[in-house]
Amino acid sequence: MIVRILNEGQWTLDESAFAALNAHDEEIETAVDSGDETELTRALTGLLAEVRRVGTPVPDDSLADSDLILPDAEATLHEVREWLADNTSGEGLIPG
């Protein structure tokens, strides 16, 4: 699966990586629900760091559609709240 981090790039991840990503996703949802901007930034930074750690960067000269797009680490509480509202599956930022 190809995951894009906005304003940064793409990574290829195995499906097995998503269990660890979901733990960060739950932290993001909790921070959004409580309105805690500091906690959101911490959780979002952790999620993106995990994508970079377990993923393989897609070369910049490669044209590949992203299966999943994540906000960058500077995303605000309002932006992530809208992002989650647009996800009709109700699964947060990470599916599954």
Side-chain angles (χ1 to χ4, degrees), residues 2-66:
I2 296 178
V3 175
R4 172 178 295 283
I5 299 174
L6 282 184
N7 303 318
E8 192 170 328
Q10 294 176 303
W11 284 260
T12 302
L13 278 78
D14 292 329
E15 293 292 327
S16 62
F18 285 86
L21 296 179
N22 273 316
H24 294 286
D25 194 28
E26 289 175 19
E27 292 173 355
I28 289 167
E29 289 184 76
T30 299
V32 169
D33 289 344
S34 68
D36 189 335
E37 189 93 37
T38 302
E39 184 61 22
L40 171 65
T41 300
R42 187 199 63 73
L44 192 52
T45 299
L47 171 67
L48 302 179
E50 185 71 8
V51 168
R52 292 182 205 105
R53 186 182 75 75
V54 300
T56 302
V58 174
D60 290 336
D61 61 350
S62 176
L63 295 175
D65 288 335
S66 300

